[in-house]
Amino acid sequence: MANPEPARPAASPRPQIIVVTTAMLVFISYWRAAAIVLCDMASTVYYIGGIVEQAIGKAAPWYIGAVMLFAYAVRGVYIESCAMFVRGGVYRVVKEAMGGTMAKLSVSALMFDYVLTGPISGVSAGQYIAGLVNDLFGRIGIHVTVPYNGTAALFATLITVYFWWRNTRGLHESSDDALRIMQVTTVMVVILVAWCVLTLLARGGQLPPAPVPRNLRFSDDALGWFKGTRWPSFTAIAILVGFGHSILAMSGEESLAQVYREIEQPKVKNLERTGLVIFLYSLTFTSLVSFFAVALIPDSVRPKFYDNLISGLAMHLVGPLWLRLVFQAFVVVVGFLILAGAVNTSIVGSGGVLSRVSEDGVLPAWFRRPHRRFGTNYRIINLIAGLQLVTIVLSRGNVYVLGEAYAFGVVWSFAFKALAVLVLTTSRMRRSAKPHSRSRSTRAANSGAASVAATARPTHRHSSFLGFMAFHRVWFDNDRLAFTVGGGAINNPGRYLVLVPPINGASAFSGTPYFTAAPGDPYKAWDTQLTFDYMPSQFVTFRSEFNYRHSNVPYFAGEGGVTPPGGNTGAPGSIVPGWSPDLRRSENRVTFALLVKL
């Protein structure tokens, strides 16, 4: 009788593992990618015209149009950064090009942008709803006025809380929703443009005044510390101020970096098509609305519609009143959809940025701990929503205040991005110009020949200069408080514009072998500056300032100094045996000053 086989132990349950690869992702067409970006960018049209006209006057449409043309160049920078295959948007691009410190500053500006995108979009949606309600109440004889700013703040709060709840639970992202919103928006745009043209043919209109200094009417807030000076009378300064207040029109460009990884092949070509679609759509929609508003709404009435300009434009078209009211309601509904979508985009976008920052160790890993039930980064979402709610409360529903602050983030996130792309492009061009590296065995076998070839190869040494500076200043508390942020960078091979460190008494005339200035000697440097001013009167300024400077070669004086022991020795700048200066690649400097104007 055969012995029965011993019972096998029960197999342990195998864990089920799902490996997610790009093959499982669904890629989208450039039309859908453009719709996603436009859901953020096109929302600007609902408030940009009123904000800029309040700041600079009736010539605002010309400056908005100029910014939309400039936005095409800005879009080229974002497309270039995506084509470099540096993933992660502004933070990763700046970090690869200029290091962690500049990346942190850039992501701060970007987060400033994202945090304000939600409140300004939600508040603008509330302003349009309040305007529609008040208009309807007035026409049916109800003598009740809904407060604009209070209603706007309430709706912005409700929208933010709703999308906080949806994102905490895990919002299903789909390009279908963005495409449908833009399809409805396009219908509204076509009707609006056609109806405005018909109105102009029927009763005429006026062009905005030429964008020259004599036609600019700056508000007190728009001039800042230029107020009371002759500077605004200079053409270049006046145009720069007007352009600066209009720069808000190009917000939303960072969304290109977010959708790039989802675009179908060929990626770069489709991204360029996406950029072209965005440019044509935003140029047509954003610019024309501002021109039509000045042309069709009387000057005495238009200030009432600064916060809901498209509603005012709808009510000043030709046609029966009931039809204009229906179209105004349609404008408000479309505006609510696209502006609410921008609130969600701000939460999703800023959540992605903070997640990457947390992964790099800038933020504690505590922020990335997933929700027990939904698996989302709920702590990051809580932080973003909390900041947006605080911003709504502090602004009290004032679109103008939010818009001026929002422009700050737009400018600086682009400035850091553009500088990083420039640095990356230059460094990669230099690397590609070098001969390709060979294997270790090949290098060992041909070391003698390689040495001879390297010695015989002519070296091209040249001198040149490239540099820039950019600063932005914001005033608060009736111009008593001011905050300035800025910086710059230079590339000066040959060092002919670099101040010679005073090593052993060296000067530009004497020079010094410790810091040569021969053709081709490299010198690259950049700096950033943060300044806070307290100005109790127009004659006194208390200033506190922080500077960080960095160069690619030792240049800044360290703790050991640049003076030999016992003082300068021998001829100025000459070599001192047994001693060398203490030069560093970077320095931090904190300055406190009292400025008095006599």
Side-chain angles (χ1 to χ4, degrees):
M1 183 174 179
N3 294 328
E5 294 183 1
R8 296 181 180 178
S12 58
R14 295 182 179 178
Q16 306 231 344
I17 301 175
I18 299 177
V19 180
V20 180
T21 68
T22 54
M24 298 181 65
L25 300 178
V26 177
F27 295 101
I28 60 177
S29 66
Y30 68 90
W31 285 106
R32 291 178 178 270
I36 294 173
V37 179
L38 283 171
C39 276
D40 187 7
M41 287 194 64
S43 63
T44 311
V45 72
Y46 274 83
Y47 49 80
I48 183 64
I51 290 175
V52 179
E53 187 168 345
Q54 287 182 74
I56 67 175
K58 284 179 61 177
W62 296 110
Y63 287 91
I64 294 174
V67 168
M68 299 316 299
L69 292 174
F70 176 67
Y72 192 70
V74 173
R75 203 158 296 125
V77 172
Y78 282 89
I79 292 174
E80 178 71 14
S81 70
C82 293
M84 288 179 176
F85 302 103
V86 180
R87 299 185 62 181
V90 168
Y91 177 72
R92 290 291 174 84
V93 173
V94 176
K95 184 178 181 181
E96 179 170 329
M98 295 182 292
T101 302
M102 288 295 287
K104 293 171 187 176
L105 291 174
S106 68
V107 83
S108 299
L110 181 59
M111 286 304 302
F112 191 85
D113 183 342
Y114 271 132
V115 168
L116 285 172
T117 298
I120 193 173
S121 300
V123 166
S124 182
Q127 292 278 6
Y128 273 84
I129 292 173
L132 177 62
V133 171
N134 286 333
D135 195 8
L136 292 176
F137 281 177
R139 295 184 185 279
I140 63 179
I142 299 178
H143 302 291
V144 176
T145 302
V146 175
Y148 280 91
N149 290 353
T151 303
L154 175 62
F155 270 92
T157 301
L158 294 176
I159 294 171
T160 303
V161 170
Y162 170 75
F163 281 111
W164 163 80
W165 175 72
R166 291 291 304 275
N167 280 277
T168 300
R169 293 174 62 89
L171 184 65
H172 174 68
E173 295 186 40
S174 172
S175 60
D176 293 336
D177 296 337
L179 189 60
R180 292 191 191 98
I181 291 175
M182 290 314 303
Q183 286 171 345
V184 175
T185 304
T186 303
V187 172
M188 185 205 74
V189 171
V190 171
I191 296 174
L192 179 64
V193 171
W195 205 341
C196 287
V197 171
L198 182 61
T199 304
L200 286 173
L201 293 175
R203 65 184 187 207
Q206 58 177 343
L207 270 177
V212 294
R214 66 174 181 272
N215 292 328
L216 297 177
R217 301 292 181 266
F218 295 114
S219 65
D220 292 340
D221 293 334
L223 285 177
W225 60 274
F226 283 151
K227 179 182 176 182
T229 68
R230 294 183 56 196
W231 288 104
S233 62
F234 294 100
T235 301
I237 297 297
I239 292 176
L240 187 62
V241 172
F243 192 84
H245 283 285
S246 309
I247 207 75
L248 176 62
M250 70 175 194
S251 63
E253 299 287 352
E254 173 62 16
S255 301
L256 273 175
Q258 306 299 327
V259 302
Y260 172 66
R261 60 181 178 270
E262 302 176 25
I263 296 179
E264 62 186 5
Q265 296 289 346
K267 281 186 174 291
V268 176
K269 188 65 177 178
N270 282 331
L271 188 63
E272 292 174 348
R273 294 169 179 167
T274 302
L276 181 60
V277 172
I278 294 169
F279 168 69
L280 295 175
Y281 195 101
S282 57
L283 177 65
T284 303
F285 189 19
T286 306
S287 300
L288 284 182
V289 165
S290 301
F291 277 98
F292 285 143
V294 173
L296 299 179
I297 305 177
D299 295 345
S300 59
V301 179
R302 195 167 54 256
K304 300 178 182 178
F305 297 101
Y306 278 158
D307 293 331
N308 53 352
L309 198 61
I310 303 181
S311 287
L313 186 59
M315 295 308 298
H316 285 82
L317 300 172
V318 294
L321 177 61
W322 67 268
L323 187 58
R324 285 181 284 154
L325 286 172
V326 170
F327 185 62
Q328 183 189 12
F330 181 47
V331 165
V332 172
V333 170
V334 173
F336 182 83
L337 290 175
I338 197 169
L339 290 166
V343 176
N344 181 58
T345 300
S346 69
I347 296 177
V348 174
S350 53
V353 171
L354 288 183
S355 295
R356 290 191 291 271
V357 170
S358 179
E359 290 169 1
D360 274 20
V362 179
L363 289 179
W366 179 85
F367 280 100
R368 288 184 285 124
R369 186 172 299 174
H371 195 283
R372 292 183 178 179
R373 180 180 177 187
F374 305 116
T376 56
N377 293 335
Y378 72 104
R379 288 174 175 169
I380 291 179
I381 297 172
N382 291 345
L383 174 63
I384 297 163
L387 290 174
Q388 290 185 339
L389 290 174
V390 170
T391 303
I392 293 169
V393 173
L394 292 178
S395 70
R396 300 178 183 179
N398 191 319
V399 174
Y400 182 80
V401 172
L402 290 171
E404 294 293 280
Y406 187 22
F408 176 83
V410 172
V411 169
W412 278 106
S413 62
F414 164 67
F416 282 116
K417 183 88 165 188
L419 178 59
V421 169
L422 177 62
V423 173
L424 272 178
T425 303
T426 304
S427 62
R428 292 189 179 189
M429 287 175 63
R430 288 178 177 175
R431 286 200 298 267
S432 64
K434 296 180 180 179
H436 296 291
S437 60
R438 300 178 181 179
S439 65
R440 183 176 301 176
S441 59
T442 304
R443 290 199 303 270
N446 299 313
S447 58
S451 300
V452 173
T455 305
R457 185 183 298 118
T459 302
H460 300 284
R461 302 176 65 84
H462 67 283
S463 298
S464 62
F465 177 82
L466 175 66
F468 82 95
M469 289 189 298
F471 290 83
H472 188 75
R473 187 173 176 89
V474 182
W475 288 262
F476 305 94
D477 192 22
N478 296 320
D479 295 345
R480 285 193 291 268
L481 303 176
F483 176 76
T484 306
V485 61
I490 66 168
N491 182 12
N492 185 203
R495 304 176 181 175
Y496 61 90
L497 288 179
V498 180
L499 296 177
V500 176
I503 303 171
N504 193 24
S507 65
F509 178 76
S510 67
T512 175
Y514 292 109
F515 188 82
T516 59
D521 285 351
Y523 187 81
K524 297 179 182 178
W526 61 267
D527 75 316
T528 184
Q529 171 184 315
L530 300 173
T531 303
F532 178 76
D533 290 336
Y534 170 57
M535 298 162 285
S537 72
Q538 60 179 328
F539 302 105
V540 178
T541 298
F542 295 91
R543 170 165 294 178
S544 57
E545 184 173 286
F546 170 76
N547 293 91
Y548 176 79
R549 301 170 181 172
H550 181 83
S551 66
N552 67 326
V553 294
Y555 177 74
F556 305 100
E559 294 180 359
V562 295
T563 303
N568 294 333
T569 304
S574 60
I575 294 179
V576 179
W579 174 85
S580 61
D582 182 12
L583 296 178
R584 309 289 177 87
R585 292 177 181 268
S586 62
E587 74 167 1
N588 295 308
R589 178 176 296 183
V590 178
T591 306
F592 299 96
L594 171 63
L595 308 178
V596 180
K597 179 180 178 182
L598 301 178

